[in-house]
């Protein structure tokens, strides 16, 4: 099995193999003692917890046509961010797995910020009728 780093920090394959076998598995993710692993097809990517700057859940609604009508499926993802921005978006098996994973990451990566980054609202920068800036004045 080959391991591919998400950041410039590389580790020895023997140590990664041992940590991967002993790690806790949640869907495609394995939580090692010092490294988070995830599978994507036949590759296994890894990132040390010290390299994770922010992590959060992203829920995507996927439209579905069913026999009885239309609906949306909620797809849970874990997003990992580093110094360069978003490094990975990993699909999770469900909401319960996402909550357990967030709790585990809180313990394993205490220096990383939990939660999505603050949104910049483009509507505040616009001027004209109906803009928020005009309403504030």
């Amino acid at each position: 099995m080959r391991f591919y780093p998400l950041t410039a920090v590389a580790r020895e394959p023997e140590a990664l193999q041992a940590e991967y076998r002993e790690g806790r598995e949640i869907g495609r993710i394995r939580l090692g003692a010092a490294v988070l692993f995830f599978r994507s097809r036949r590759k296994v990517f890894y990132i040390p917890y010290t390299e994770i700057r922010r992590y959060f859940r992203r829920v995507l609604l996927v439209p579905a046509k069913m026999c009885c009508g239309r609906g949306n499926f909620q797809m849970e993802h874990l997003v990992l961010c580093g110094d360069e921005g978003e490094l990975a978006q990993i699909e999770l098996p469900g909401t319960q797995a996402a909550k357990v994973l967030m709790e585990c990451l809180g313990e394993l990566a205490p220096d990383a910020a939990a939660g999505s980054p603050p949104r910049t609202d483009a509507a505040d920068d616009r001027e004209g009728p109906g803009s928020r800036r005009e309403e504030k004045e």
Side-chain angles (χ1 to χ4, degrees):
M1 180 180 310
R2 282 200 59 168
F3 296 98
Y4 299 91
L6 284 179
T7 60
V9 178
R11 300 200 175 210
E12 294 193 26
E14 295 83 20
L16 289 171
Q17 184 71 28
E19 192 167 347
Y20 183 79
R21 272 184 274 141
E22 295 172 3
R24 179 179 177 186
E25 186 173 5
I26 301 174
R28 295 181 179 180
I29 297 175
R30 279 195 190 241
L31 301 172
V35 178
L36 181 138
F37 300 94
F38 70 93
R39 292 180 318 228
S40 177
R41 297 193 177 121
R42 294 184 179 216
K43 295 182 179 181
V44 177
F45 295 94
Y46 70 92
I47 182 170
Y49 297 123
T50 56
E51 296 294 314
I52 298 173
R53 301 293 174 243
R54 180 178 298 276
Y55 61 93
F56 57 93
R57 287 172 45 197
R58 180 175 286 159
V59 181
L60 300 176
L61 295 176
V62 179
K65 294 180 184 177
M66 296 177 275
C67 62
C68 55
R70 295 176 183 238
N72 291 324
F73 291 117
Q74 290 187 355
M75 302 296 293
E76 296 273 345
H77 293 82
L78 173 70
V79 179
L80 300 174
C81 299
D83 293 331
E84 305 88 33
E86 285 189 17
L87 298 174
Q89 179 173 311
I90 308 158
E91 186 177 333
L92 299 172
T95 304
Q96 185 63 31
K99 290 178 182 178
V100 169
L101 186 61
M102 293 295 283
E103 289 176 13
C104 292
L105 280 175
E107 297 170 7
L108 295 169
D111 296 336
S116 62
R119 290 180 59 177
T120 57
D121 193 6
D124 287 340
D125 298 334
R126 291 188 314 212
E127 290 186 23
S131 70
R132 291 185 181 179
R133 184 171 288 169
E134 186 176 292
E135 292 172 5
K136 291 178 184 177
E137 293 175 357

